[in-house]
Amino acid sequence: MGSKKKIPIDPVTGIPMILEGRIVTMDPANRVIDRGRLYVKDSTLLAVQAAEAPPPAGFAGVAVTKTGGTLYPGLIELHNHLAYNALRLWAVPKLYTNRDQWSGIPAYRQLVSGPMTVIGESPDLLPALVRYVEMKCLVGGVTTSQGIALFSNAGARRFYRGIVRNVESTDEAVLPEAQTRVADVDARSASAFLERLKKETCFLLHLSEGVDPSAHKHFEALRIEGTRWAILPQLAGIHAVALTAQDFALYGARGASIIWSPLSNCLLYGKTADVKAAKAAGVRIGIGSDWSPSGSKNLLGELKVARIVADQVGGFSSREILAMATRQAADILQWGEVLGSLEPGKRADLLLVKGTTGDPYDALIEAAETDIQLVVINGVPRFGTKSLFDALGATGESLKIGGEARRVYLAQDTQDPAVGKLTYAQAKATLADALKRLPQLAKALEKPKTFRRGAMHASTGPVWRLALDELEPTGNSVRARLPLAHTHARTGAKAQAGKGTQPLSEILKPLVLDPLTVADDTEFAATLLAQKNLPAWIVAALRALYG
């Protein structure tokens, strides 16, 4: 896979567009324009206004596309281990109290970490993987997500960049890059971590993932001394399930944020973060689906679970939940001047949902994947119905979502060359075949290793592989394993959790590729509703949605 180019996503001229429909701006005034028009040119929203208002200059001859739907800002997902999203929903075997308990069990190695190790160590499969999991984001209305980390046998590290914006790699000063991994050297003490935080605009790190004292120690380890804590507005703690109302009061007073993944938390631990206490403490909240093995298939599904939880605990409107994936998410990244709402001068990242009736915020949260009619990133139509693509003069590859015809446009000058050669259909077929042949692929990898740190292939140069979180000692972690005060012990388990001694070829079995959407997955609802750890009130609400 080629080296990263230092140029922005989609530095090409997009199609001039005039999109008419109901507009949910998600701007600070929360304007909803019942019959409005978006004027898009060269990646930018030039005007967002009522349909009867005169158009801005430069749109003479551009036809108005009457969408018949409701337009929203593109969804910004602040937590997703994208590389794992080729895997199906895991039947979580028991209730856990912190993440270090399940990450090393045999079932996890057989169904999650083992399969991804095989795929991650097979460079010829990486293009198909990144193409497929990015498509899962796109068809769910996601226009920004966490990226896929790669590292090479030469010791280099980078992030895959493609169609969907990557919070870690933007190459644009107006879109500062978030950090999602902390180097071991910066986690040697809370003081060192604080100094690192001061240098960043946003640091997305796992924090207190679990419900027991061990999980809470990850928060306690942020204390430096007295009232000094390694907590700044730049810190966005992912999960934060173990934090109490008192913790959130301290955390919020220092301006930090949390990233909420309610379904994954409930599937593993039987509960999620106390978001009501977080809100009361002024903590900003973003949202992410975590990954498909123990979470929603996409962010559209996670928004549904978020509202179910919010309805139970109280204190949140549908508008506030949607803000977690739009305006508030952009603010957490310090991207609020550029993305997160539909306002003149901002980037044209947007999605369209069928219909214009009912509550405009409920309409998106309740939408099925088949209701998504159009997704635009940086002014380029990337996914949508055939009729809208035709109306906009856009081309693309044909596919079906829940039996309905759709198109996807994947051409992009700035993506990795190996990925750019692949159609969605090719990527899907390659990945499905690889998962069926997991034992054979594992056996081949167990022969004399060709991938060694510091080694270079004589003809092709560096060999890239997936940097699977905490399965390899890369010197970086998705959680700050800080030492506890007055001890030499570090919070959490050591890296390489989930490894075992038995060869993968002896424990892996053929797997089925996770379908792209819930609409295409005949087993998703049954697997979800049968989960052992979900509270009964969540199961009842999910049954109404998916049962």
Side-chain angles (χ1 to χ4, degrees), residues 489-505:
R490 289 183 176 271
T491 52
K494 294 180 180 180
Q496 304 183 65
K499 289 219 168 190
T501 57
Q502 190 174 6
L504 287 174
S505 61

Side-chain angles (χ1 to χ4, degrees), residues 54-124:
F59 284 86
V62 179
V64 175
T65 300
K66 296 186 177 182
T67 67
T70 303
L71 293 147
Y72 302 85
L75 300 180
I76 300 173
E77 178 159 46
L78 292 186
H79 179 49
N80 198 325
H81 301 280
L82 282 185
Y84 289 83
N85 284 354
L87 303 178
R88 306 202 75 170
L89 183 62
W90 181 33
V92 180
K94 58 175 286 187
L95 184 68
Y96 300 100
T97 58
N98 69 69
R99 73 87 58 191
D100 295 317
Q101 294 172 341
W102 53 263
S103 63
I105 65 173
Y108 177 74
R109 186 169 183 245
Q110 181 185 53
L111 297 173
V112 182
S113 64
M116 291 315 304
T117 297
V118 171
I119 292 174
E121 292 184 357
S122 305
D124 57 322

Side-chain angles (χ1 to χ4, degrees), residues 15-16 63-66 385-394 407:
I15 304 169
V64 175
T65 300
K66 296 186 177 182
T385 64
K386 179 182 181 299
S387 59
L388 280 171
F389 262 50
D390 288 344
L392 294 169
R407 284 186 184 171

Side-chain angles (χ1 to χ4, degrees), residues 20-23 32-37 49-53 66:
E20 181 175 310
R22 181 169 65 170
I23 302 174
V32 175
I33 306 173
D34 287 332
R35 181 170 167 265
R37 288 179 182 174
Q49 60 192 37
E52 59 271 17
K66 296 186 177 182

Side-chain angles (χ1 to χ4, degrees), residues 309-460:
V309 175
D311 287 346
Q312 178 74 12
V313 303
F316 291 87
S317 66
S318 293
R319 185 182 70 199
E320 288 173 308
I321 293 170
L322 186 53
M324 296 177 189
T326 53
R327 183 177 69 239
Q328 198 152 279
D331 288 343
I332 290 171
L333 293 169
Q334 295 196 31
W335 289 10
E337 295 298 314
V338 181
L339 288 168
S341 61
L342 299 178
E343 299 181 77
K346 290 194 173 183
R347 299 294 176 82
D349 285 15
L350 58 94
L351 69 107
L352 173 73
V353 169
K354 180 169 58 179
T356 59
T357 59
D359 181 89
Y361 305 102
D362 288 342
L364 177 54
I365 294 174
E366 295 173 359
E369 294 134 335
T370 49
D371 292 324
I372 295 183
Q373 308 290 286
L374 182 68
V375 178
V376 174
I377 302 177
N378 222 50
V380 179
R382 288 296 179 183
F383 171 76
T385 64
K386 179 182 181 299
S387 59
L388 280 171
F389 262 50
D390 288 344
L392 294 169
T395 59
E397 177 184 354
S398 297
L399 71 156
K400 287 191 175 181
I401 300 295
E404 297 186 9
R406 294 290 186 270
R407 284 186 184 171
V408 60
Y409 177 63
L410 298 172
Q412 185 183 51
D413 292 339
T414 58
Q415 66 185 326
D416 290 32
V419 179
K421 297 175 184 177
L422 283 178
T423 65
Y424 160 68
Q426 290 169 336
K428 178 182 177 182
T430 298
L431 204 51
D433 177 69
L435 288 171
K436 288 179 182 177
R437 297 187 298 109
L438 275 177
Q440 300 96 301
L441 293 175
K443 190 71 173 177
L445 287 170
E446 288 160 6
K447 293 177 180 179
K449 301 291 185 180
T450 59
F451 183 96
R452 294 186 297 276
R453 187 175 295 280
M456 295 285 285
H457 193 284
S459 59
T460 62

Side-chain angles (χ1 to χ4, degrees), residues 193-205:
F193 180 56
L194 178 62
E195 292 307 309
R196 176 61 191 281
L197 272 178
K198 291 177 181 178
K199 299 176 183 178
E200 305 299 337
T201 54
C202 180
F203 222 132
L204 294 157
L205 286 175

